[in-house]
Amino acid sequence: MKFRNALIALALVAAGCNQPTTDQDAANDGPQLDAPAPASEPSRVYAAANDAARAVAAELTVSVTQELPDAADADVQERLSLRGGNGLNVSADVTGAISPATQVGGQTLRALLAIPVEEPQVLVYRVTEAAGAPGLCSEGAPAYVVVWEPSAPGDGAMKVLGVTGGAPGAGDSRACQMLEYRRS
């Protein structure tokens, strides 16, 4: 009995495989998208947690998006967007993660951001656009932005540090004020 049921099931599967292919079926085999999907921009809102942050933007909207490349051999580009209610608008491309022991203006990022010793890395973004007063740096537009969020789940803190001059670790890099925010 089991053998007969298995034989019938096999015959049904074979009959399904021998279906003629239509032009419509062949057209459905390839990708269906004519254009890429619109970029979504999931964002998080933070409230200022220190005086320097309140002077820059009492509320900060942070978005991190990934842009897919046009060329197949190019890398996905991660972009950071910081927007404040006072007109602050900073866009930056990720350059990578670096050690908090990296120095900026003679001090480590760990000291400048006041982050725990066990934190292994901070993210660095190269600024592509910076607008809004007073901005992340009082002495001009930042060239880089360093962002730290705790690795522990449930902690809604975020620290942002603008860097002028060269990249963190370069001899001519200078740190701006550390801005501390909490997720609202």
Side-chain angles (χ1 to χ4, degrees), residues 11-68:
L12 289 173
V13 169
C17 290
N18 290 332
Q19 299 266 337
T21 304
T22 65
D23 290 338
Q24 181 64 29
D25 290 339
N28 289 338
D29 287 345
Q32 296 297 312
L33 294 176
D34 291 331
S40 63
E41 194 171 337
S43 58
R44 298 171 288 171
V45 178
Y46 290 86
N50 69 357
D51 289 339
R54 280 187 275 288
V56 170
E59 188 173 272
L60 189 68
T61 301
V62 179
S63 304
V64 177
T65 57
Q66 292 187 342
E67 184 177 293
L68 299 174

mmCIF file of all heavy atoms in Angstrom, residues 11-68:
data_model
loop_
_atom_site.group_PDB
_atom_site.id
_atom_site.type_symbol
_atom_site.label_atom_id
_atom_site.label_comp_id
_atom_site.label_asym_id
_atom_site.label_seq_id
_atom_site.Cartn_x
_atom_site.Cartn_y
_atom_site.Cartn_z
ATOM 1 N N ALA A 11 4.468 9.840 -9.771
ATOM 2 C CA ALA A 11 3.857 10.096 -11.081
ATOM 3 C C ALA A 11 3.309 11.517 -11.158
ATOM 4 O O ALA A 11 3.425 12.185 -12.195
ATOM 5 C CB ALA A 11 2.756 9.074 -11.360
ATOM 6 N N LEU A 12 2.711 12.017 -10.078
ATOM 7 C CA LEU A 12 2.180 13.378 -10.064
ATOM 8 C C LEU A 12 3.307 14.409 -10.166
ATOM 9 O O LEU A 12 3.172 15.418 -10.862
ATOM 10 C CB LEU A 12 1.354 13.618 -8.805
ATOM 11 C CG LEU A 12 0.003 12.886 -8.744
ATOM 12 C CD1 LEU A 12 -0.624 13.071 -7.372
ATOM 13 C CD2 LEU A 12 -0.925 13.389 -9.828
ATOM 14 N N VAL A 13 4.403 14.173 -9.473
ATOM 15 C CA VAL A 13 5.544 15.080 -9.536
ATOM 16 C C VAL A 13 6.119 15.106 -10.947
ATOM 17 O O VAL A 13 6.417 16.160 -11.504
ATOM 18 C CB VAL A 13 6.626 14.688 -8.501
ATOM 19 C CG1 VAL A 13 7.909 15.448 -8.729
ATOM 20 C CG2 VAL A 13 6.108 14.923 -7.095
ATOM 21 N N ALA A 14 6.262 13.929 -11.553
ATOM 22 C CA ALA A 14 6.792 13.849 -12.918
ATOM 23 C C ALA A 14 5.866 14.546 -13.899
ATOM 24 O O ALA A 14 6.320 15.221 -14.827
ATOM 25 C CB ALA A 14 6.997 12.390 -13.314
ATOM 26 N N ALA A 15 4.566 14.413 -13.728
ATOM 27 C CA ALA A 15 3.610 15.077 -14.624
ATOM 28 C C ALA A 15 3.714 16.592 -14.482
ATOM 29 O O ALA A 15 3.591 17.318 -15.461
ATOM 30 C CB ALA A 15 2.187 14.606 -14.323
ATOM 31 N N GLY A 16 3.940 17.090 -13.289
ATOM 32 C CA GLY A 16 4.089 18.528 -13.077
ATOM 33 C C GLY A 16 5.349 19.068 -13.720
ATOM 34 O O GLY A 16 5.390 20.201 -14.176
ATOM 35 N N CYS A 17 6.397 18.257 -13.795
ATOM 36 C CA CYS A 17 7.660 18.707 -14.391
ATOM 37 C C CYS A 17 7.584 18.762 -15.911
ATOM 38 O O CYS A 17 8.358 19.446 -16.549
ATOM 39 C CB CYS A 17 8.792 17.766 -13.979
ATOM 40 S SG CYS A 17 9.211 17.933 -12.234
ATOM 41 N N ASN A 18 6.685 18.054 -16.511
ATOM 42 C CA ASN A 18 6.587 17.999 -17.960
ATOM 43 C C ASN A 18 5.623 19.027 -18.525
ATOM 44 O O ASN A 18 5.210 18.918 -19.666
ATOM 45 C CB ASN A 18 6.148 16.590 -18.408
ATOM 46 C CG ASN A 18 7.243 15.569 -18.176
ATOM 47 O OD1 ASN A 18 8.408 15.910 -18.187
ATOM 48 N ND2 ASN A 18 6.854 14.322 -17.973
ATOM 49 N N GLN A 19 5.271 20.036 -17.767
ATOM 50 C CA GLN A 19 4.373 21.092 -18.226
ATOM 51 C C GLN A 19 5.068 21.889 -19.320
ATOM 52 O O GLN A 19 6.257 22.198 -19.213
ATOM 53 C CB GLN A 19 4.018 22.028 -17.065
ATOM 54 C CG GLN A 19 3.315 21.341 -15.932
ATOM 55 C CD GLN A 19 1.812 21.439 -16.073
ATOM 56 O OE1 GLN A 19 1.319 22.322 -16.738
ATOM 57 N NE2 GLN A 19 1.110 20.516 -15.459
ATOM 58 N N PRO A 20 4.367 22.288 -20.374
ATOM 59 C CA PRO A 20 4.992 23.118 -21.412
ATOM 60 C C PRO A 20 5.293 24.505 -20.861
ATOM 61 O O PRO A 20 4.558 25.037 -20.046
ATOM 62 C CB PRO A 20 3.936 23.165 -22.522
ATOM 63 C CG PRO A 20 2.644 22.854 -21.831
ATOM 64 C CD PRO A 20 2.978 21.954 -20.684
ATOM 65 N N THR A 21 6.386 25.096 -21.311
ATOM 66 C CA THR A 21 6.790 26.429 -20.882
ATOM 67 C C THR A 21 6.212 27.455 -21.844
ATOM 68 O O THR A 21 6.342 27.315 -23.058
ATOM 69 C CB THR A 21 8.329 26.541 -20.877
ATOM 70 O OG1 THR A 21 8.843 25.517 -20.052
ATOM 71 C CG2 THR A 21 8.762 27.890 -20.373
ATOM 72 N N THR A 22 5.586 28.479 -21.300
ATOM 73 C CA THR A 22 5.034 29.538 -22.138
ATOM 74 C C THR A 22 5.991 30.709 -22.133
ATOM 75 O O THR A 22 6.911 30.796 -21.319
ATOM 76 C CB THR A 22 3.664 30.003 -21.596
ATOM 77 O OG1 THR A 22 3.874 30.593 -20.311
ATOM 78 C CG2 THR A 22 2.682 28.859 -21.504
ATOM 79 N N ASP A 23 5.777 31.639 -23.058
ATOM 80 C CA ASP A 23 6.613 32.842 -23.104
ATOM 81 C C ASP A 23 6.471 33.644 -21.821
ATOM 82 O O ASP A 23 7.425 34.251 -21.347
ATOM 83 C CB ASP A 23 6.226 33.707 -24.305
ATOM 84 C CG ASP A 23 6.634 33.058 -25.627
ATOM 85 O OD1 ASP A 23 7.542 32.203 -25.603
ATOM 86 O OD2 ASP A 23 6.036 33.406 -26.663
ATOM 87 N N GLN A 24 5.296 33.650 -21.233
ATOM 88 C CA GLN A 24 5.069 34.389 -19.993
ATOM 89 C C GLN A 24 5.875 33.778 -18.862
ATOM 90 O O GLN A 24 6.465 34.485 -18.066
ATOM 91 C CB GLN A 24 3.566 34.394 -19.642
ATOM 92 C CG GLN A 24 3.228 35.167 -18.380
ATOM 93 C CD GLN A 24 3.541 36.658 -18.502
ATOM 94 O OE1 GLN A 24 3.493 37.225 -19.580
ATOM 95 N NE2 GLN A 24 3.893 37.272 -17.396
ATOM 96 N N ASP A 25 5.924 32.420 -18.795
ATOM 97 C CA ASP A 25 6.715 31.774 -17.751
ATOM 98 C C ASP A 25 8.193 32.095 -17.905
ATOM 99 O O ASP A 25 8.897 32.326 -16.933
ATOM 100 C CB ASP A 25 6.519 30.254 -17.781
ATOM 101 C CG ASP A 25 5.123 29.831 -17.329
ATOM 102 O OD1 ASP A 25 4.467 30.639 -16.633
ATOM 103 O OD2 ASP A 25 4.707 28.710 -17.677
ATOM 104 N N ALA A 26 8.674 32.117 -19.156
ATOM 105 C CA ALA A 26 10.082 32.424 -19.394
ATOM 106 C C ALA A 26 10.390 33.866 -18.986
ATOM 107 O O ALA A 26 11.457 34.162 -18.462
ATOM 108 C CB ALA A 26 10.432 32.209 -20.857
ATOM 109 N N ALA A 27 9.451 34.773 -19.207
ATOM 110 C CA ALA A 27 9.658 36.174 -18.834
ATOM 111 C C ALA A 27 9.683 36.346 -17.326
ATOM 112 O O ALA A 27 10.329 37.237 -16.802
ATOM 113 C CB ALA A 27 8.566 37.056 -19.428
ATOM 114 N N ASN A 28 8.980 35.485 -16.583
ATOM 115 C CA ASN A 28 8.926 35.571 -15.127
ATOM 116 C C ASN A 28 10.152 34.985 -14.453
ATOM 117 O O ASN A 28 10.313 35.114 -13.261
ATOM 118 C CB ASN A 28 7.668 34.890 -14.592
ATOM 119 C CG ASN A 28 6.415 35.673 -14.905
ATOM 120 O OD1 ASN A 28 6.481 36.871 -15.155
ATOM 121 N ND2 ASN A 28 5.287 34.997 -14.909
ATOM 122 N N ASP A 29 11.016 34.300 -15.207
ATOM 123 C CA ASP A 29 12.189 33.680 -14.603
ATOM 124 C C ASP A 29 13.224 34.708 -14.164
ATOM 125 O O ASP A 29 13.954 34.494 -13.217
ATOM 126 C CB ASP A 29 12.851 32.704 -15.594
ATOM 127 C CG ASP A 29 12.025 31.440 -15.769
ATOM 128 O OD1 ASP A 29 11.129 31.196 -14.934
ATOM 129 O OD2 ASP A 29 12.277 30.710 -16.746
ATOM 130 N N GLY A 30 13.322 35.852 -14.816
ATOM 131 C CA GLY A 30 14.332 36.865 -14.509
ATOM 132 C C GLY A 30 13.855 37.807 -13.422
ATOM 133 O O GLY A 30 12.731 37.724 -12.933
ATOM 134 N N PRO A 31 14.710 38.738 -13.047
ATOM 135 C CA PRO A 31 14.338 39.740 -12.039
ATOM 136 C C PRO A 31 13.168 40.590 -12.522
ATOM 137 O O PRO A 31 13.040 40.885 -13.698
ATOM 138 C CB PRO A 31 15.584 40.584 -11.877
ATOM 139 C CG PRO A 31 16.684 39.816 -12.516
ATOM 140 C CD PRO A 31 16.069 38.879 -13.499
ATOM 141 N N GLN A 32 12.341 40.991 -11.594
ATOM 142 C CA GLN A 32 11.145 41.751 -11.922
ATOM 143 C C GLN A 32 11.292 43.248 -11.703
ATOM 144 O O GLN A 32 10.434 44.000 -12.101
ATOM 145 C CB GLN A 32 9.968 41.239 -11.084
ATOM 146 C CG GLN A 32 9.588 39.806 -11.400
ATOM 147 C CD GLN A 32 9.109 39.661 -12.830
ATOM 148 O OE1 GLN A 32 8.290 40.435 -13.285
ATOM 149 N NE2 GLN A 32 9.651 38.709 -13.551
ATOM 150 N N LEU A 33 12.368 43.685 -11.073
ATOM 151 C CA LEU A 33 12.511 45.106 -10.758
ATOM 152 C C LEU A 33 13.025 45.883 -11.955
ATOM 153 O O LEU A 33 14.020 45.522 -12.571
ATOM 154 C CB LEU A 33 13.481 45.299 -9.589
ATOM 155 C CG LEU A 33 13.021 44.760 -8.251
ATOM 156 C CD1 LEU A 33 14.123 44.940 -7.224
ATOM 157 C CD2 LEU A 33 11.767 45.455 -7.796
ATOM 158 N N ASP A 34 12.337 46.945 -12.310
ATOM 159 C CA ASP A 34 12.809 47.833 -13.355
ATOM 160 C C ASP A 34 13.736 48.891 -12.793
ATOM 161 O O ASP A 34 14.589 49.416 -13.482
ATOM 162 C CB ASP A 34 11.622 48.526 -14.046
ATOM 163 C CG ASP A 34 10.799 47.543 -14.853
ATOM 164 O OD1 ASP A 34 11.369 46.547 -15.335
ATOM 165 O OD2 ASP A 34 9.591 47.771 -14.982
ATOM 166 N N ALA A 35 13.533 49.226 -11.528
ATOM 167 C CA ALA A 35 14.340 50.241 -10.861
ATOM 168 C C ALA A 35 14.519 49.810 -9.415
ATOM 169 O O ALA A 35 13.728 49.031 -8.890
ATOM 170 C CB ALA A 35 13.633 51.590 -10.919
ATOM 171 N N PRO A 36 15.568 50.290 -8.765
ATOM 172 C CA PRO A 36 15.752 49.918 -7.361
ATOM 173 C C PRO A 36 14.623 50.458 -6.494
ATOM 174 O O PRO A 36 13.982 51.448 -6.836
ATOM 175 C CB PRO A 36 17.089 50.543 -6.981
ATOM 176 C CG PRO A 36 17.376 51.539 -8.037
ATOM 177 C CD PRO A 36 16.598 51.165 -9.263
ATOM 178 N N ALA A 37 14.409 49.786 -5.398
ATOM 179 C CA ALA A 37 13.394 50.233 -4.453
ATOM 180 C C ALA A 37 13.810 51.576 -3.880
ATOM 181 O O ALA A 37 15.000 51.893 -3.800
ATOM 182 C CB ALA A 37 13.237 49.210 -3.331
ATOM 183 N N PRO A 38 12.861 52.412 -3.493
ATOM 184 C CA PRO A 38 13.233 53.708 -2.916
ATOM 185 C C PRO A 38 14.003 53.502 -1.620
ATOM 186 O O PRO A 38 13.754 52.555 -0.885
ATOM 187 C CB PRO A 38 11.889 54.384 -2.663
ATOM 188 C CG PRO A 38 10.878 53.297 -2.680
ATOM 189 C CD PRO A 38 11.437 52.190 -3.524
ATOM 190 N N ALA A 39 14.949 54.374 -1.384
ATOM 191 C CA ALA A 39 15.765 54.267 -0.171
ATOM 192 C C ALA A 39 14.898 54.530 1.053
ATOM 193 O O ALA A 39 14.168 55.502 1.110
ATOM 194 C CB ALA A 39 16.910 55.268 -0.223
ATOM 195 N N SER A 40 14.982 53.630 1.990
ATOM 196 C CA SER A 40 14.273 53.862 3.242
ATOM 197 C C SER A 40 15.272 54.462 4.217
ATOM 198 O O SER A 40 16.464 54.239 4.109
ATOM 199 C CB SER A 40 13.711 52.548 3.793
ATOM 200 O OG SER A 40 14.769 51.675 4.096
ATOM 201 N N GLU A 41 14.793 55.217 5.125
ATOM 202 C CA GLU A 41 15.682 55.889 6.050
ATOM 203 C C GLU A 41 15.155 55.715 7.467
ATOM 204 O O GLU A 41 14.533 56.608 8.016
ATOM 205 C CB GLU A 41 15.801 57.362 5.678
ATOM 206 C CG GLU A 41 16.935 58.039 6.366
ATOM 207 C CD GLU A 41 17.170 59.441 5.833
ATOM 208 O OE1 GLU A 41 16.781 59.735 4.705
ATOM 209 O OE2 GLU A 41 17.740 60.230 6.581
ATOM 210 N N PRO A 42 15.393 54.523 8.047
ATOM 211 C CA PRO A 42 14.966 54.358 9.432
ATOM 212 C C PRO A 42 15.766 55.295 10.326
ATOM 213 O O PRO A 42 16.970 55.420 10.174
ATOM 214 C CB PRO A 42 15.285 52.899 9.736
ATOM 215 C CG PRO A 42 16.298 52.501 8.723
ATOM 216 C CD PRO A 42 16.114 53.390 7.531
ATOM 217 N N SER A 43 15.086 55.994 11.193
ATOM 218 C CA SER A 43 15.779 56.972 12.016
ATOM 219 C C SER A 43 15.445 56.772 13.490
ATOM 220 O O SER A 43 14.434 56.182 13.835
ATOM 221 C CB SER A 43 15.435 58.391 11.574
ATOM 222 O OG SER A 43 14.052 58.588 11.647
ATOM 223 N N ARG A 44 16.339 57.287 14.315
ATOM 224 C CA ARG A 44 16.170 57.261 15.764
ATOM 225 C C ARG A 44 16.298 58.685 16.261
ATOM 226 O O ARG A 44 17.096 59.461 15.743
ATOM 227 C CB ARG A 44 17.233 56.381 16.417
ATOM 228 C CG ARG A 44 17.144 54.926 15.962
ATOM 229 C CD ARG A 44 18.319 54.135 16.444
ATOM 230 N NE ARG A 44 19.480 54.578 15.650
ATOM 231 C CZ ARG A 44 20.717 54.234 15.895
ATOM 232 N NH1 ARG A 44 21.014 53.501 16.917
ATOM 233 N NH2 ARG A 44 21.699 54.654 15.133
ATOM 234 N N VAL A 45 15.521 59.011 17.262
ATOM 235 C CA VAL A 45 15.541 60.366 17.812
ATOM 236 C C VAL A 45 16.203 60.325 19.185
ATOM 237 O O VAL A 45 15.891 59.474 20.015
ATOM 238 C CB VAL A 45 14.113 60.943 17.904
ATOM 239 C CG1 VAL A 45 14.133 62.334 18.516
ATOM 240 C CG2 VAL A 45 13.465 60.964 16.525
ATOM 241 N N TYR A 46 17.114 61.277 19.392
ATOM 242 C CA TYR A 46 17.854 61.377 20.649
ATOM 243 C C TYR A 46 17.642 62.759 21.247
ATOM 244 O O TYR A 46 17.504 63.742 20.524
ATOM 245 C CB TYR A 46 19.356 61.180 20.404
ATOM 246 C CG TYR A 46 19.732 59.772 20.019
ATOM 247 C CD1 TYR A 46 19.679 59.356 18.704
ATOM 248 C CD2 TYR A 46 20.156 58.867 20.976
ATOM 249 C CE1 TYR A 46 20.036 58.075 18.339
ATOM 250 C CE2 TYR A 46 20.527 57.578 20.628
ATOM 251 C CZ TYR A 46 20.460 57.194 19.310
ATOM 252 O OH TYR A 46 20.808 55.920 18.958
ATOM 253 N N ALA A 47 17.663 62.820 22.568
ATOM 254 C CA ALA A 47 17.580 64.090 23.300
ATOM 255 C C ALA A 47 18.961 64.405 23.870
ATOM 256 O O ALA A 47 19.702 63.501 24.280
ATOM 257 C CB ALA A 47 16.559 63.989 24.421
ATOM 258 N N ALA A 48 19.304 65.673 23.906
ATOM 259 C CA ALA A 48 20.605 66.109 24.417
ATOM 260 C C ALA A 48 20.757 65.707 25.881
ATOM 261 O O ALA A 48 19.833 65.835 26.677
ATOM 262 C CB ALA A 48 20.746 67.611 24.266
ATOM 263 N N ALA A 49 21.966 65.229 26.231
ATOM 264 C CA ALA A 49 22.225 64.797 27.597
ATOM 265 C C ALA A 49 23.360 65.584 28.256
ATOM 266 O O ALA A 49 23.671 65.341 29.419
ATOM 267 C CB ALA A 49 22.547 63.302 27.622
ATOM 268 N N ASN A 50 24.004 66.502 27.518
ATOM 269 C CA ASN A 50 25.003 67.373 28.141
ATOM 270 C C ASN A 50 24.862 68.783 27.560
ATOM 271 O O ASN A 50 24.152 69.000 26.577
ATOM 272 C CB ASN A 50 26.425 66.813 28.001
ATOM 273 C CG ASN A 50 26.966 66.824 26.577
ATOM 274 O OD1 ASN A 50 26.290 67.196 25.626
ATOM 275 N ND2 ASN A 50 28.211 66.382 26.435
ATOM 276 N N ASP A 51 25.503 69.751 28.183
ATOM 277 C CA ASP A 51 25.356 71.162 27.773
ATOM 278 C C ASP A 51 25.831 71.396 26.343
ATOM 279 O O ASP A 51 25.217 72.162 25.594
ATOM 280 C CB ASP A 51 26.113 72.079 28.735
ATOM 281 C CG ASP A 51 25.427 72.166 30.094
ATOM 282 O OD1 ASP A 51 24.218 71.876 30.166
ATOM 283 O OD2 ASP A 51 26.112 72.519 31.077
ATOM 284 N N ALA A 52 26.927 70.759 25.957
ATOM 285 C CA ALA A 52 27.443 70.943 24.595
ATOM 286 C C ALA A 52 26.424 70.458 23.567
ATOM 287 O O ALA A 52 26.206 71.114 22.543
ATOM 288 C CB ALA A 52 28.761 70.196 24.430
ATOM 289 N N ALA A 53 25.778 69.340 23.846
ATOM 290 C CA ALA A 53 24.762 68.803 22.927
ATOM 291 C C ALA A 53 23.546 69.720 22.871
ATOM 292 O O ALA A 53 22.989 69.966 21.799
ATOM 293 C CB ALA A 53 24.356 67.397 23.352
ATOM 294 N N ARG A 54 23.132 70.262 24.018
ATOM 295 C CA ARG A 54 21.990 71.190 24.036
ATOM 296 C C ARG A 54 22.284 72.444 23.216
ATOM 297 O O ARG A 54 21.403 73.003 22.573
ATOM 298 C CB ARG A 54 21.610 71.549 25.470
ATOM 299 C CG ARG A 54 20.776 70.473 26.154
ATOM 300 C CD ARG A 54 20.272 70.919 27.517
ATOM 301 N NE ARG A 54 21.221 70.719 28.610
ATOM 302 C CZ ARG A 54 21.548 69.535 29.126
ATOM 303 N NH1 ARG A 54 21.012 68.445 28.669
ATOM 304 N NH2 ARG A 54 22.398 69.458 30.118
ATOM 305 N N ALA A 55 23.530 72.908 23.216
ATOM 306 C CA ALA A 55 23.903 74.089 22.445
ATOM 307 C C ALA A 55 23.887 73.807 20.937
ATOM 308 O O ALA A 55 23.616 74.698 20.144
ATOM 309 C CB ALA A 55 25.290 74.571 22.863
ATOM 310 N N VAL A 56 24.135 72.568 20.548
ATOM 311 C CA VAL A 56 24.156 72.205 19.127
ATOM 312 C C VAL A 56 22.757 71.857 18.634
ATOM 313 O O VAL A 56 22.296 72.387 17.636
ATOM 314 C CB VAL A 56 25.134 71.034 18.879
ATOM 315 C CG1 VAL A 56 24.997 70.490 17.465
ATOM 316 C CG2 VAL A 56 26.557 71.486 19.144
ATOM 317 N N ALA A 57 22.080 70.936 19.317
ATOM 318 C CA ALA A 57 20.720 70.520 18.935
ATOM 319 C C ALA A 57 20.103 69.795 20.121
ATOM 320 O O ALA A 57 20.617 68.759 20.538
ATOM 321 C CB ALA A 57 20.747 69.609 17.717
ATOM 322 N N ALA A 58 19.030 70.348 20.653
ATOM 323 C CA ALA A 58 18.367 69.727 21.798
ATOM 324 C C ALA A 58 17.811 68.350 21.441
ATOM 325 O O ALA A 58 17.741 67.472 22.287
ATOM 326 C CB ALA A 58 17.245 70.621 22.312
ATOM 327 N N GLU A 59 17.444 68.194 20.189
ATOM 328 C CA GLU A 59 16.952 66.900 19.710
ATOM 329 C C GLU A 59 17.694 66.575 18.416
ATOM 330 O O GLU A 59 17.844 67.429 17.546
ATOM 331 C CB GLU A 59 15.447 66.968 19.467
ATOM 332 C CG GLU A 59 14.839 65.626 19.156
ATOM 333 C CD GLU A 59 13.325 65.695 19.099
ATOM 334 O OE1 GLU A 59 12.684 65.540 20.154
ATOM 335 O OE2 GLU A 59 12.808 65.905 17.990
ATOM 336 N N LEU A 60 18.165 65.349 18.306
ATOM 337 C CA LEU A 60 18.960 64.925 17.164
ATOM 338 C C LEU A 60 18.316 63.691 16.544
ATOM 339 O O LEU A 60 18.038 62.721 17.241
ATOM 340 C CB LEU A 60 20.386 64.608 17.614
ATOM 341 C CG LEU A 60 21.417 64.339 16.544
ATOM 342 C CD1 LEU A 60 21.706 65.614 15.757
ATOM 343 C CD2 LEU A 60 22.697 63.824 17.171
ATOM 344 N N THR A 61 18.081 63.756 15.234
ATOM 345 C CA THR A 61 17.560 62.602 14.508
ATOM 346 C C THR A 61 18.725 61.964 13.773
ATOM 347 O O THR A 61 19.426 62.624 13.003
ATOM 348 C CB THR A 61 16.470 63.026 13.508
ATOM 349 O OG1 THR A 61 15.422 63.671 14.233
ATOM 350 C CG2 THR A 61 15.898 61.823 12.782
ATOM 351 N N VAL A 62 18.938 60.676 14.030
ATOM 352 C CA VAL A 62 20.069 59.945 13.467
ATOM 353 C C VAL A 62 19.536 58.867 12.528
ATOM 354 O O VAL A 62 18.676 58.075 12.903
ATOM 355 C CB VAL A 62 20.908 59.292 14.588
ATOM 356 C CG1 VAL A 62 22.070 58.500 14.006
ATOM 357 C CG2 VAL A 62 21.397 60.344 15.563
ATOM 358 N N SER A 63 20.069 58.856 11.319
ATOM 359 C CA SER A 63 19.720 57.836 10.332
ATOM 360 C C SER A 63 20.994 57.215 9.799
ATOM 361 O O SER A 63 21.962 57.922 9.519
ATOM 362 C CB SER A 63 18.956 58.444 9.158
ATOM 363 O OG SER A 63 17.829 59.129 9.593
ATOM 364 N N VAL A 64 20.984 55.906 9.667
ATOM 365 C CA VAL A 64 22.091 55.200 9.028
ATOM 366 C C VAL A 64 21.475 54.396 7.894
ATOM 367 O O VAL A 64 20.593 53.573 8.116
ATOM 368 C CB VAL A 64 22.832 54.273 10.015
ATOM 369 C CG1 VAL A 64 23.929 53.505 9.296
ATOM 370 C CG2 VAL A 64 23.418 55.080 11.158
ATOM 371 N N THR A 65 21.912 54.675 6.680
ATOM 372 C CA THR A 65 21.385 53.983 5.510
ATOM 373 C C THR A 65 22.520 53.296 4.774
ATOM 374 O O THR A 65 23.693 53.635 4.960
ATOM 375 C CB THR A 65 20.686 54.961 4.549
ATOM 376 O OG1 THR A 65 21.605 55.975 4.161
ATOM 377 C CG2 THR A 65 19.476 55.613 5.202
ATOM 378 N N GLN A 66 22.156 52.344 3.956
ATOM 379 C CA GLN A 66 23.134 51.666 3.116
ATOM 380 C C GLN A 66 22.744 51.882 1.666
ATOM 381 O O GLN A 66 21.608 51.633 1.287
ATOM 382 C CB GLN A 66 23.191 50.182 3.441
ATOM 383 C CG GLN A 66 23.767 49.925 4.811
ATOM 384 C CD GLN A 66 23.971 48.458 5.076
ATOM 385 O OE1 GLN A 66 23.401 47.607 4.418
ATOM 386 N NE2 GLN A 66 24.796 48.161 6.057
ATOM 387 N N GLU A 67 23.693 52.355 0.896
ATOM 388 C CA GLU A 67 23.463 52.610 -0.521
ATOM 389 C C GLU A 67 24.102 51.493 -1.324
ATOM 390 O O GLU A 67 25.295 51.222 -1.201
ATOM 391 C CB GLU A 67 24.079 53.954 -0.891
ATOM 392 C CG GLU A 67 23.816 54.350 -2.319
ATOM 393 C CD GLU A 67 24.389 55.709 -2.612
ATOM 394 O OE1 GLU A 67 23.888 56.700 -2.048
ATOM 395 O OE2 GLU A 67 25.357 55.779 -3.397
ATOM 396 N N LEU A 68 23.287 50.852 -2.152
ATOM 397 C CA LEU A 68 23.798 49.779 -2.989
ATOM 398 C C LEU A 68 24.522 50.384 -4.184
ATOM 399 O O LEU A 68 24.053 51.346 -4.785
ATOM 400 C CB LEU A 68 22.658 48.882 -3.461
ATOM 401 C CG LEU A 68 21.890 48.181 -2.334
ATOM 402 C CD1 LEU A 68 20.699 47.428 -2.892
ATOM 403 C CD2 LEU A 68 22.798 47.253 -1.575
#
